[in-house]
Amino acid sequence: MSRRPECDFDVVIAGGGAGGVGAALGAAAEGAKVLLVEKYGFLGGAATNSQVLAYCGFFLQGPEPIRAVGGVADLVLDQLRRLGLDCDPFCSPTTSNWIILLEPEAVKLALDRVLAAQGVEVHLHSRVAAATRTAERLEAVTLAGMDGRRRVAAEAFVDATGDANLSLVAGLPCRVGNAEGRLQAVSAPIRIGGLDLSRPIDRDAIRDAFTRYNRNGAYPSARDDGGIYTRVPRTGELWWMMFDHPMPDLGFASFSDAERAAREAAHDYVRLLRENVPGFENAYLVQTGPQIGIRESRHPAARYELTGEDLTTGRQRPDEVAKAAWPMEDHSVAGKPVYHSIGGEGWASVPLDCLRAKGIDNLYFAGRTIGADDRAYASIRVMGTAFATGEAAGRAAARQDRPTGPGRSH
């Protein structure tokens, strides 16, 4: 793309999770000068800031792992392999879905290296504080960091913040939660060390311990199956998701309550394992957070909303730019996820208009900010799919006036 003299970058991307990284790599592949802005001191999104140590959405559901996402995401997987992760498809024994197991420190370093290799400029400890726009275009954003504020102009922008922070300051209408304003529950996965690795994990013992605990424990768990757990690659620690929390709204009080409850519950739960489950006698809490796992917040207005019917029928479209393959995983009720499979061939097309802001010509969406109704959102929000929608958004933002062809992300 031809950058105007007054522009500092071709594409500015807000948010350094899977969607933002995918967008940065996609835009860089088109030859754009790219800036990626991230509020934390590291990249990775939920994989590194919320202990979500699995890339979901890379594979179709089924007896064999069939890839649905490739493209620039392969640069990340290749770098993770160099750092010692095998990145092979792993079938979750709890859900029977195919995932890629992660270790957060490897993810942080892999993303640093991949973006540097592609020439992407990254500003950590920075966030979008304001935006300047005309009627139909964003002209610039104001970034807030440790050294104050800085105005950055660009030809195009991508909102990959997950919470639609860029869209919000740009004045784009945003829906909160589903059609009734309800939010999906948050979760707080944790890591546990000190296990006796020679002993298999006794799920029945975990269930029995929580059956007793839930009668009068301070933080009863809605999960009655022992939760979802895997071994963390390389470390041998246990990754465990057992704590879920309903979110009544997006207020600071609700988030503060959830964060405090999650930390208290983590210590309670590990003590429960130590006292009741064989092999956990020396178990200890390795890490919570850094923040609770947020599944849903704001949905900015897109030119098209992917629908639950699109996914249940496995609708395929000529204007596809990504594939949605993860089953619709609805967490409307805390601790009681409901899964609905994708129909047709096991995947549905994500069209470009899901990634384009309604009313702002040069603003694109990536990851869980893309246009989707309640049911479709329960599928497209996962990180594997976010890499694909991110790449498509980044390429489209870099091209602007050139058509975006299908499937750079598959």
Side-chain angles (χ1 to χ4, degrees):
M1 67 192 298
S2 177
R3 186 167 70 253
R4 291 171 295 156
E6 64 269 25
C7 287
D8 304 291
F9 294 90
D10 295 314
V11 181
V12 169
I13 299 156
V21 169
L25 294 173
E30 295 288 334
K33 183 181 181 184
V34 183
L35 172 65
L36 177 62
V37 180
E38 168 56 45
K39 66 179 181 179
Y40 286 104
F42 50 85
L43 303 169
T48 52
N49 67 39
S50 302
Q51 297 282 353
V52 183
L53 301 186
Y55 279 154
C56 304
F58 270 91
F59 304 94
L60 306 186
Q61 191 179 37
E64 300 295 330
I66 300 172
R67 281 289 291 268
V69 174
V72 297
D74 284 338
L75 298 174
V76 175
L77 298 184
D78 287 345
Q79 185 60 239
L80 286 171
R81 292 186 185 100
R82 294 187 191 102
L83 292 170
L85 303 189
D86 61 33
C87 295
D88 291 340
F90 173 82
C91 187
S92 168
T94 311
T95 66
S96 298
N97 293 315
W98 296 97
I99 60 179
I100 296 174
L101 298 178
L102 303 173
E103 189 277 311
E105 296 307 316
V107 174
K108 292 176 188 177
L109 185 56
L111 298 181
D112 285 343
R113 289 179 173 178
V114 168
L115 291 171
Q118 302 305 312
V120 175
E121 187 169 331
V122 178
H123 288 186
L124 302 175
H125 294 285
S126 301
R127 65 177 68 216
V128 176
T132 304
R133 60 175 284 193
T134 60
E136 297 178 346
R137 288 183 63 85
L138 283 183
E139 300 294 334
V141 292
T142 300
L143 305 182
M146 294 291 285
D147 58 347
R149 297 193 170 209
R150 172 193 172 196
R151 184 180 185 274
V152 176
E155 294 286 355
F157 300 82
V158 179
D159 188 341
T161 61
D163 299 318
N165 292 331
L166 173 54
S167 300
L168 186 69
V169 299
L172 196 68
C174 294
R175 183 183 81 245
V176 174
N178 65 12
E180 288 76 43
R182 293 200 314 272
L183 298 160
Q184 293 197 36
V186 297
S187 293
I190 62 175
R191 287 158 59 195
I192 302 172
L195 280 66
D196 181 350
L197 300 181
S198 69
R199 304 192 65 155
I201 296 172
D202 189 338
R203 183 179 286 275
D204 289 338
I206 297 175
R207 283 197 295 255
D208 291 345
F210 271 90
T211 298
R212 295 188 298 272
Y213 174 84
N214 283 352
R215 293 177 190 142
N216 53 22
Y219 301 95
S221 173
R223 294 180 182 262
D224 56 11
D225 59 357
I228 298 176
Y229 53 77
T230 60
R231 297 284 190 185
V232 179
R234 300 195 306 176
T235 71
E237 298 161 350
L238 184 75
W239 176 88
W240 189 35
M241 186 162 65
M242 191 69 175
F243 177 83
D244 305 273
H245 194 88
M247 287 299 290
D249 53 51
L250 298 178
F252 71 87
S254 295
F255 278 102
S256 298
D257 288 345
E259 295 281 8
R260 286 190 290 263
R263 283 189 284 273
E264 292 281 3
H267 287 269
D268 241 17
Y269 290 4
V270 174
R271 175 189 56 78
L272 194 67
L273 296 180
R274 247 191 336 262
E275 295 174 355
N276 294 277
V277 182
F280 284 80
E281 292 82 0
N282 298 310
Y284 58 90
L285 180 64
V286 173
Q287 190 177 17
T288 63
Q291 72 163 46
I292 203 159
I294 302 168
R295 289 190 175 87
E296 184 175 29
S297 54
R298 301 182 196 90
H299 302 273
R303 301 191 182 195
Y304 178 75
E305 280 202 342
L306 199 67
T307 68
E309 184 179 0
D310 288 334
L311 271 65
T312 56
T313 61
R315 183 182 179 191
Q316 298 177 19
R317 305 169 48 129
D319 55 348
E320 170 191 309
V321 294
K323 287 184 170 74
W326 188 253
M328 291 173 280
E329 181 185 345
D330 184 10
H331 289 260
S332 296
V333 178
K336 301 292 183 185
V338 178
Y339 293 84
H340 298 283
S341 298
I342 309 299
E345 297 179 24
W347 55 273
S349 296
V350 179
L352 179 61
D353 275 352
C354 288
L355 281 54
R356 300 187 68 197
K358 189 175 183 179
I360 303 180
D361 290 342
N362 65 336
L363 175 61
Y364 297 82
F365 304 138
R368 60 187 177 93
T369 58
I370 76 168
D373 73 6
D374 303 352
R375 292 186 296 160
Y377 177 77
S379 168
I380 60 86
R381 62 179 178 76
V382 297
M383 289 182 280
T385 310
F387 274 117
T389 58
E391 177 178 355
R395 288 183 181 273
R399 292 172 178 176
Q400 279 289 286
D401 297 324
R402 289 184 281 153
T404 300
R408 296 297 80 76
S409 47
H410 31 277

